[in-house]
Amino acid sequence: MFWFKVCPLSFEIREKDLLARIGKLKTKSGTVETPLLFPVVNPVVQSISSRRIMEEFGFEALITNAYILRQRFQGQPAQEGLHRFLGFNGTIMTDSGAYQTLVYGNIQTSPEEIIQYQEQIDTDIATILDIPTGWDVTEKHAAETVKETLKRAKSLFERKARDDILWVGPVQGGRYLNLVIKSAKETGKLPFQIHALGSPTEVMERYRFDVLVDMIMAAKMNLPIDRPLHLFGAGHPFMFALAVSLGCDLFDSAAYALYAREGRYMTENGTYRLNELDYFPCACPKCTKTAPKRVLELPQREVETFLAEHNLYVSGAEIKRVKQAIKDGRLWEHLETRAHTHPALFQALKRLAKYQNYIEKHDPVTKNSGLFFYDSTSLIRPEVLHYQKNLKKRYNPPREARILLLVSQTQTRPFHNSKDYKSIAKTLRRQFESQANRIHVCFCAAPFGVIPFELDEVYPLSQHETVVPPDKETMEYVANQTLDYINRSDYEGVVLLSSEGWQNTLQDKAKQACRKRGIPFKYLSFDGKLAKTMLIRLTKTLQKMLSE
Amino acid sequence: MFWFKVCPLSFEIREKDLLARIGKLKTKSGTVETPLLFPVVNPVVQSISSRRIMEEFGFEALITNAYILRQRFQGQPAQEGLHRFLGFNGTIMTDSGAYQTLVYGNIQTSPEEIIQYQEQIDTDIATILDIPTGWDVTEKHAAETVKETLKRAKSLFERKARDDILWVGPVQGGRYLNLVIKSAKETGKLPFQIHALGSPTEVMERYRFDVLVDMIMAAKMNLPIDRPLHLFGAGHPFMFALAVSLGCDLFDSAAYALYAREGRYMTENGTYRLNELDYFPCACPKCTKTAPKRVLELPQREVETFLAEHNLYVSGAEIKRVKQAIKDGRLWEHLETRAHTHPALFQALKRLAKYQNYIEKHDPVTKNSGLFFYDSTSLIRPEVLHYQKNLKKRYNPPREARILLLVSQTQTRPFHNSKDYKSIAKTLRRQFESQANRIHVCFCAAPFGVIPFELDEVYPLSQHETVVPPDKETMEYVANQTLDYINRSDYEGVVLLSSEGWQNTLQDKAKQACRKRGIPFKYLSFDGKLAKTMLIRLTKTLQKMLSE
């Protein structure tokens, strides 16, 4: 009898990147790793058996619907035990019928019955009967769904009889972010082991991934961060990277089967209709063996199974891609790739700027890989903000520094290994000897802004790949960083030595800062190679400034 | 005896997108579809049999090395026939040992022997013994490789004895673009059925995909466009989209096997070392059945076979993705996705701006899908330039139009279906009655610029998805397009009605154009909704301008 065995409930975070984490979630049927996708198994109609979902497709967990089980099979799953009933010895999660409430209005059960039923059938992860807010509703209605869900959440802890089942506390509120915040705060106070964000399906169907970002962040920032967060009904692989980056740990996919029923073929980049395809853009075991034309000739039932299996393969593969990206510290890179599969996802990525501070606070300080920097979208990266904050709060130029010599970006990294820097350093040593340390060399580079030469090997200031020239927004960011840096410094003069291509913005902002501080500014521009004549001009300029 | 059967040689183009095409290439062993990847089969060491390459992996063609065959097996392949010798009844291409020349210096054969040998073994597609230019060479050396390659190319037509083999005329010159151009022009005059661009391998190893773009375009723009172009040694799936977009039709991959030997795992987004992987980011039949840890426990030979098979699966899938994208008219979209897997590829994508005119000339005017527009990189798209050219050359505003009313972008498309436009149109009809047609409404929208309302349903002016707000470069493009449009028009006044968010650039440029033309300009800005008061202000402004 393992029914009342108390399971040490815990979620252990192993790896982090952005707000994503790889974690271990202990359930009474085994420990599963997150981010985790639960394929939805419909006990009534199911084209892929639970056993195959584990053995062939490699899923450790599945989700099924307690309400449907109860309506169709009554006591049978309880008698056999859900695991034997479904033929699945991994972790089983049950949903409560809340989605059916959203679709069909009232359903024929009560919150209390659903609690009791989930305990009886011996599920591993159970969900209270919450009230989904939906999309096209008034704020008043939304507030009522939040209130009633919360009431039901509280009553769980008076009613539940077992301690070895993990309970999910759903957050509602829809697109009314203040309600989502309230719902998250209140639900988070209750001793749930897992939380879930309800009803994002309609937001996703409308491709409003920017709104989804707001909804997830409203929940995430107000829930206990050490509990896993499930995103209900988010089963399309093309948005896993986004949701995981925002700290969603658990997903369920009915989509793989529902899409199949409608002849829709998922990819990690979007969706096709099967009859639109001439080639299968996929390496999965189903697609490599045949072609769209041949599949379309099969009986409808086989077409559906083919699609469901393909959809499940690509969903599983994308979860693994996301996990590997987390391990590599490359989730942002993966996110940028996925954001460039649909403008709505790119729009959502840009929305992350709003949460930059929060993400930066939780993102690991060092990672295993260098950064890929494409354009100003990458300025949202926590590494960029992290450096900006550190430079502001913790950095002081060398004491003896009197003149700031700003050198614009070179292609070599670390910058102090560049030919240009080496000839500048040599000139300074030769011409200024013991006075050379009064001249402080800093680089101006995308995306980080001002980089003092003595820091340029610190991660990730040299560990990144960029595109030249940067886009305008990036140039402006660098220029503004430079302005701030000069403004808060004690330098007595600034020389900007810039190769062409770095636009006027940098010069304008540096000049503006110097004017404000009442110190001299000199701009020296060179084209391509740093010639000897320029080094002579530089020497004279610095000599003049130092003697003033 | 099919040896001397004359095969109707032809390359038939079926579908086009950018410079890419889906084509049918007839060879004496069957017709193959391009873009086509030839897996390299090394007759000496081969982990995947030729038979499996066709039956399990679905490749219709392979490439092997005539020089190596001759060195190791002498007359045997000729006696058996290459197809029986390799156990492959699809199309076989042979390389000539030119790569071996590059790697080992001289090789033990002559151009004449290699021609004769390829005819004897009954290959389907044969390559002359060209001299690869390589990367780190002087211009003088590069010029010699071009000259000698050309000499050998010419002599083929005096020496070859069969007419049923397709011959490949290689283009050399390396990174010396003037030499590539010369090589392409001269080789293109000879009656080759296929051309190839030589020695891009080192450019790719250095991640100089921007230089590769220049090299491919130098060849492409100077070769007969109706002959297929092979890109030698380009076997990594993460750059297929780029090369195909530039008009490369044929690829060979030794990489799938060479990478495997070095423990490297390919993906369509880049490369991993097997021992760096915790998860297989892939849905292929190999990866879905196991995990990196378990593969690493296998004997070295099996690890290599595992990797080779995986690499071949992902390479094949990416070719199919690219083909599907061509069919969908979405190759640019696919290219942008891939460009966001490495900054070096993004840099290469930006280099396409240099060839925008050529690409626009060859790109189909209508496509099956709407456009995804992310940012100013998408301004390179042929559709954008195409519209700009057409508006300039072919469009005239309605005769009776006296005042231009510019309305900034709305989210609704076609724009004339937007609420804002509808209330403007209603106001104009009511207030100006028969004079309303003297006011010409145009929209200002990213990425296309000025869109006269009567054109806004023309493809692709309404068939695109964008991100709001656009980036600065895009706003500047729209503003400059507006300036040009006003400059070349006969309007007697311009009113700009703009919702906020559309930055000052548009206003500045419109004003600048009006000042130049000496006509009145008025700017009306509104925030969010177009209120009634604004419609009244608009009416007064227009009345005043019409009465002046």
Side-chain angles (χ1 to χ4, degrees):
Chain A
M1 278 293 285
F2 57 90
W3 260 45
F4 293 96
K5 179 180 72 179
V6 176
C7 171
L9 309 171
S10 84
F11 178 56
E12 188 193 326
I13 294 167
R14 298 284 181 94
E15 305 265 352
K16 286 165 65 178
D17 195 12
L18 304 176
L19 300 180
R21 51 267 188 108
I22 291 179
K24 297 277 180 188
L25 179 66
K26 281 187 194 162
T27 75
K28 66 180 168 56
S29 294
T31 299
V32 287
E33 194 177 71
T34 69
L36 180 67
L37 176 66
F38 297 86
V40 172
V41 167
N42 182 330
V44 183
V45 226
Q46 182 61 21
S47 52
I48 312 176
S49 72
S50 306
R51 189 187 51 72
R52 289 185 61 214
I53 282 179
M54 178 174 271
E55 288 173 12
E56 282 180 43
F57 295 85
F59 288 91
E60 305 175 85
L62 59 77
I63 185 169
T64 188
N65 190 301
Y67 173 69
I68 295 173
L69 282 173
R70 190 171 173 279
Q71 292 302 102
R72 286 295 291 263
F73 303 100
Q74 290 88 32
Q76 198 191 338
Q79 274 159 23
E80 291 184 24
L82 185 56
H83 293 79
R84 195 188 296 171
F85 181 79
L86 291 178
F88 189 80
N89 63 9
T91 294
I92 301 181
M93 176 171 175
T94 38
D95 196 357
S96 58
Y99 183 71
Q100 283 67 24
T101 319
L102 187 67
V103 178
Y104 306 112
N106 275 339
I107 59 168
Q108 298 162 338
T109 187
S110 69
E112 295 74 24
E113 279 174 349
I114 282 291
I115 292 170
Q116 201 187 12
Y117 188 74
Q118 288 181 93
E119 290 195 333
Q120 283 168 356
I121 61 176
D122 189 33
T123 191
D124 299 308
I125 302 173
T127 313
I128 64 160
L129 187 65
D130 58 323
I131 312 285
T133 306
W135 171 261
D136 217 2
V137 297
T138 62
E139 185 162 1
K140 198 180 151 212
H141 174 81
E144 278 161 17
T145 64
V146 168
K147 198 177 153 192
E148 180 62 23
T149 297
L150 204 57
K151 194 181 119 193
R152 295 179 180 190
K154 283 176 185 160
S155 82
L156 167 73
F157 299 96
E158 292 151 20
R159 303 203 174 257
K160 75 185 180 80
R162 294 178 61 169
D163 287 326
D164 59 348
I165 290 173
L166 308 187
W167 279 92
V168 177
V171 172
Q172 292 294 349
R175 61 194 161 121
Y176 300 101
L177 301 183
N178 53 338
L179 292 176
V180 176
I181 291 170
K182 188 188 154 192
S183 178
K185 280 189 177 159
E186 295 301 316
T187 315
K189 287 179 193 160
L190 301 169
F192 283 105
Q193 290 90 359
I194 297 172
H195 289 285
L197 180 62
S199 49
T201 317
E202 290 174 85
V203 190
M204 292 186 288
E205 279 168 3
R206 283 173 170 77
Y207 275 64
R208 290 304 308 271
F209 297 106
D210 51 349
V211 176
L212 184 65
V213 169
D214 288 336
M215 286 170 61
I216 295 174
M217 289 306 295
K220 187 74 193 171
M221 292 166 77
N222 294 287
L223 282 169
I225 200 158
D226 55 343
R227 297 183 190 167
L229 178 61
H230 186 112
L231 187 63
F232 270 133
H236 200 304
F238 99 132
M239 48 77 68
F240 289 162
L242 178 68
V244 173
S245 300
L246 300 178
C248 297
D249 306 289
L250 308 173
F251 300 87
D252 59 285
S253 171
Y256 80 95
L258 297 176
Y259 275 53
R261 207 164 300 157
E262 293 161 6
R264 290 195 286 167
Y265 177 98
M266 288 173 161
T267 81
E268 62 280 6
N269 300 329
T271 311
Y272 285 101
R273 302 210 149 271
L274 177 61
N275 56 17
E276 290 168 354
L277 281 171
D278 292 283
Y279 311 92
F280 282 130
C282 177
C284 89
K286 306 302 294 181
C287 295
T288 43
K289 295 277 164 284
T290 183
K293 225 191 244 171
R294 281 167 52 198
V295 174
L296 281 167
E297 286 165 0
L298 300 173
Q300 173 52 27
R301 212 189 155 75
E302 285 175 47
V303 172
E304 193 181 317
T305 304
F306 177 91
L307 285 173
E309 297 191 1
H310 158 80
N311 289 344
L312 205 49
Y313 274 124
V314 292
S315 302
E318 181 62 5
I319 290 285
K320 288 192 283 174
R321 273 189 211 103
V322 168
K323 280 177 159 185
Q324 187 62 43
I326 297 172
K327 285 258 184 187
D328 294 339
R330 286 198 166 253
L331 188 55
W332 182 274
E333 276 76 4
H334 189 60
L335 199 49
E336 283 218 46
T337 305
R338 288 292 172 264
H340 284 86
T341 58
H342 197 289
L345 276 178
F346 187 53
Q347 186 93 45
L349 178 64
K350 287 188 157 190
R351 184 65 66 99
L352 265 56
K354 202 172 147 185
Y355 307 101
Q356 201 186 9
N357 265 302
Y358 184 83
I359 295 170
E360 187 266 334
K361 223 174 71 187
H362 292 87
D363 186 63
V365 174
T366 46
K367 299 187 178 178
N368 297 327
S369 315
L371 279 61
F372 285 173
F373 187 87
Y374 298 98
D375 57 29
S376 57
T377 311
S378 316
L379 289 174
I380 304 169
R381 291 188 75 124
E383 295 87 350
V384 174
L385 182 60
H386 186 75
Y387 175 69
Q388 182 193 315
K389 283 186 174 175
N390 269 358
L391 192 72
K392 210 164 185 168
K393 282 191 198 156
R394 302 194 189 160
Y395 177 75
N396 286 307
R399 281 197 156 193
E400 56 282 8
R402 285 184 52 202
I403 306 295
L404 169 63
L405 172 56
L406 282 170
V407 181
S408 72
Q409 182 159 29
T410 71
Q411 282 288 71
T412 315
R413 266 182 301 271
F415 300 114
H416 74 249
N417 278 349
S418 72
K419 271 190 187 171
D420 286 354
Y421 174 74
K422 281 181 180 167
S423 53
I424 291 166
K426 203 172 149 192
T427 306
L428 296 184
R429 275 197 309 275
R430 191 177 292 166
Q431 300 292 335
F432 296 91
E433 296 176 350
S434 65
Q435 303 247 313
N437 58 8
R438 302 173 79 177
I439 300 155
H440 186 214
V441 181
C442 292
F443 304 99
C444 269
F448 294 102
V450 176
I451 300 175
F453 87 100
E454 70 272 23
L455 294 187
D456 86 335
E457 279 184 292
V458 173
Y459 179 86
L461 304 175
S462 286
Q463 297 77 15
H464 62 279
E465 301 284 333
T466 58
V467 174
V468 257
D471 63 326
K472 288 213 166 166
E473 278 92 342
T474 302
M475 289 204 191
E476 274 176 24
Y477 174 83
V478 170
N480 282 321
Q481 284 307 108
T482 309
L483 178 135
D484 286 349
Y485 180 77
I486 297 172
N487 272 344
R488 61 175 186 264
S489 74
D490 296 321
Y491 298 112
E492 294 163 18
V494 175
V495 177
L496 170 61
L497 180 67
S498 173
S499 62
E500 286 181 17
W502 267 88
Q503 302 199 353
N504 300 336
T505 329
L506 182 57
Q507 186 195 345
D508 292 348
K509 294 282 177 174
K511 196 193 274 177
Q512 187 185 323
C514 290
R515 197 182 302 132
K516 197 183 159 192
R517 289 210 33 240
I519 57 171
F521 171 76
K522 190 76 191 170
Y523 173 56
L524 301 175
S525 124
F526 65 100
D527 186 5
K529 272 187 194 166
L530 186 62
K532 224 174 179 175
T533 49
M534 179 50 80
L535 289 169
I536 295 168
R537 276 187 63 195
L538 176 64
T539 305
K540 284 186 184 158
T541 307
L542 290 168
Q543 278 166 343
K544 193 163 166 250
M545 259 190 205
L546 276 171
S547 67
E548 269 167 4
Chain B
M1 278 293 285
F2 57 89
W3 260 44
F4 294 96
K5 178 178 72 179
V6 176
C7 170
L9 309 171
S10 84
F11 178 55
E12 188 194 324
I13 294 167
R14 297 284 180 93
E15 304 266 352
K16 284 164 67 176
D17 195 12
L18 304 177
L19 300 181
R21 52 265 188 108
I22 291 178
K24 298 275 181 190
L25 179 66
K26 281 187 193 160
T27 75
K28 67 181 167 55
S29 295
T31 298
V32 287
E33 193 176 71
T34 69
L36 180 66
L37 176 66
F38 297 85
V40 171
V41 167
N42 181 329
V44 183
V45 226
Q46 182 61 21
S47 54
I48 312 175
S49 71
S50 306
R51 189 188 49 74
R52 289 185 60 214
I53 282 179
M54 177 173 273
E55 289 173 11
E56 282 180 43
F57 295 86
F59 288 91
E60 305 175 86
L62 59 77
I63 184 170
T64 190
N65 190 301
Y67 173 68
I68 295 174
L69 283 173
R70 189 172 174 280
Q71 292 300 102
R72 287 294 292 262
F73 304 100
Q74 290 89 34
Q76 197 191 338
Q79 275 161 22
E80 293 185 21
L82 185 56
H83 294 78
R84 194 189 297 171
F85 180 79
L86 291 178
F88 188 81
N89 63 9
T91 294
I92 302 181
M93 174 172 178
T94 38
D95 196 357
S96 59
Y99 183 71
Q100 284 67 25
T101 318
L102 187 67
V103 178
Y104 307 112
N106 275 338
I107 58 168
Q108 297 162 340
T109 187
S110 70
E112 294 74 23
E113 279 174 350
I114 282 291
I115 293 170
Q116 201 187 13
Y117 188 75
Q118 289 181 89
E119 291 194 332
Q120 284 168 356
I121 62 177
D122 190 33
T123 191
D124 299 309
I125 302 174
T127 313
I128 63 158
L129 187 66
D130 58 324
I131 311 286
T133 306
W135 171 262
D136 216 4
V137 296
T138 62
E139 185 161 2
K140 201 182 149 210
H141 174 80
E144 279 160 17
T145 64
V146 167
K147 198 178 154 192
E148 180 62 23
T149 297
L150 204 57
K151 195 182 119 193
R152 295 180 179 188
K154 283 176 186 160
S155 82
L156 166 73
F157 299 96
E158 292 151 20
R159 302 205 174 254
K160 73 184 181 81
R162 296 177 60 169
D163 288 325
D164 59 348
I165 290 173
L166 308 186
W167 279 91
V168 177
V171 172
Q172 293 294 348
R175 61 194 158 122
Y176 300 102
L177 302 182
N178 52 337
L179 291 176
V180 176
I181 292 169
K182 189 189 153 190
S183 178
K185 280 188 177 160
E186 295 301 316
T187 316
K189 287 178 193 159
L190 301 170
F192 284 106
Q193 291 90 359
I194 297 172
H195 289 286
L197 180 61
S199 49
T201 317
E202 291 175 84
V203 190
M204 292 187 286
E205 280 169 2
R206 284 172 171 77
Y207 274 64
R208 291 305 307 272
F209 297 107
D210 51 349
V211 175
L212 183 65
V213 168
D214 288 335
M215 287 169 61
I216 295 173
M217 289 306 295
K220 188 74 194 173
M221 293 166 75
N222 294 285
L223 282 168
I225 201 157
D226 56 343
R227 296 183 190 169
L229 178 60
H230 185 111
L231 186 62
F232 269 134
H236 199 304
F238 98 131
M239 47 78 68
F240 289 162
L242 178 68
V244 172
S245 300
L246 300 177
C248 296
D249 305 289
L250 308 172
F251 300 88
D252 58 284
S253 172
Y256 79 94
L258 297 176
Y259 275 53
R261 205 165 301 157
E262 295 162 3
R264 289 196 286 168
Y265 178 98
M266 288 172 161
T267 82
E268 62 280 8
N269 299 329
T271 312
Y272 284 101
R273 303 209 148 271
L274 176 61
N275 57 17
E276 290 166 354
L277 281 172
D278 292 283
Y279 311 91
F280 282 130
C282 178
C284 88
K286 307 302 294 180
C287 294
T288 42
K289 294 278 165 285
T290 184
K293 226 189 244 171
R294 281 166 54 198
V295 174
L296 281 167
E297 285 165 2
L298 300 173
Q300 172 52 26
R301 214 191 152 72
E302 285 175 47
V303 173
E304 193 180 318
T305 303
F306 177 92
L307 286 174
E309 296 191 0
H310 158 80
N311 289 343
L312 205 49
Y313 274 124
V314 292
S315 303
E318 181 62 6
I319 290 285
K320 287 192 285 175
R321 273 189 210 103
V322 168
K323 280 177 159 185
Q324 187 62 43
I326 297 171
K327 284 258 185 186
D328 293 339
R330 287 200 164 248
L331 189 55
W332 182 273
E333 277 75 5
H334 188 59
L335 199 48
E336 284 220 46
T337 306
R338 288 290 172 264
H340 284 87
T341 59
H342 197 289
L345 275 177
F346 187 54
Q347 186 94 46
L349 178 64
K350 287 189 157 189
R351 184 65 67 98
L352 265 57
K354 202 172 146 184
Y355 307 101
Q356 200 186 8
N357 265 300
Y358 184 84
I359 296 170
E360 187 266 333
K361 223 173 72 186
H362 292 88
D363 186 64
V365 174
T366 46
K367 299 187 179 180
N368 298 327
S369 314
L371 277 61
F372 285 173
F373 186 86
Y374 298 98
D375 58 29
S376 57
T377 311
S378 316
L379 289 173
I380 304 168
R381 291 188 76 126
E383 295 88 350
V384 175
L385 180 61
H386 185 76
Y387 175 68
Q388 182 193 317
K389 283 185 175 176
N390 269 359
L391 192 71
K392 210 165 187 167
K393 282 192 201 158
R394 301 193 191 160
Y395 177 74
N396 286 307
R399 281 197 156 192
E400 56 283 8
R402 283 184 51 203
I403 306 294
L404 168 64
L405 172 56
L406 282 170
V407 181
S408 72
Q409 181 160 27
T410 71
Q411 282 289 71
T412 315
R413 268 183 298 272
F415 300 113
H416 75 250
N417 278 349
S418 71
K419 271 189 185 172
D420 286 353
Y421 174 74
K422 282 181 178 166
S423 53
I424 292 167
K426 202 172 150 194
T427 306
L428 296 184
R429 275 196 309 274
R430 190 176 298 166
Q431 300 292 334
F432 297 90
E433 295 176 351
S434 66
Q435 301 247 315
N437 58 6
R438 303 173 78 177
I439 299 155
H440 186 216
V441 182
C442 293
F443 304 99
C444 269
F448 294 102
V450 176
I451 301 175
F453 89 98
E454 70 271 24
L455 293 186
D456 87 334
E457 278 184 293
V458 172
Y459 179 87
L461 304 175
S462 286
Q463 297 76 16
H464 63 279
E465 301 284 333
T466 57
V467 174
V468 263
D471 64 326
K472 288 214 165 167
E473 278 92 342
T474 303
M475 289 203 190
E476 275 175 25
Y477 174 83
V478 170
N480 281 321
Q481 284 307 108
T482 309
L483 178 135
D484 286 350
Y485 180 77
I486 298 172
N487 271 345
R488 61 175 185 264
S489 75
D490 295 321
Y491 298 114
E492 294 163 18
V494 176
V495 178
L496 170 62
L497 181 67
S498 174
S499 63
E500 286 181 18
W502 266 87
Q503 304 201 349
N504 300 335
T505 329
L506 182 57
Q507 187 195 345
D508 292 349
K509 295 279 177 177
K511 193 192 278 178
Q512 186 186 326
C514 290
R515 197 181 305 132
K516 197 182 160 195
R517 288 209 35 239
I519 58 173
F521 171 76
K522 189 77 192 170
Y523 173 56
L524 301 175
S525 126
F526 65 99
D527 186 7
K529 274 186 191 168
L530 187 63
K532 222 174 181 177
T533 49
M534 178 51 77
L535 289 170
I536 296 168
R537 276 187 62 196
L538 176 65
T539 304
K540 283 185 185 162
T541 307
L542 289 168
Q543 278 167 342
K544 192 162 167 256
M545 260 191 205
L546 277 171
S547 66
E548 271 167 6

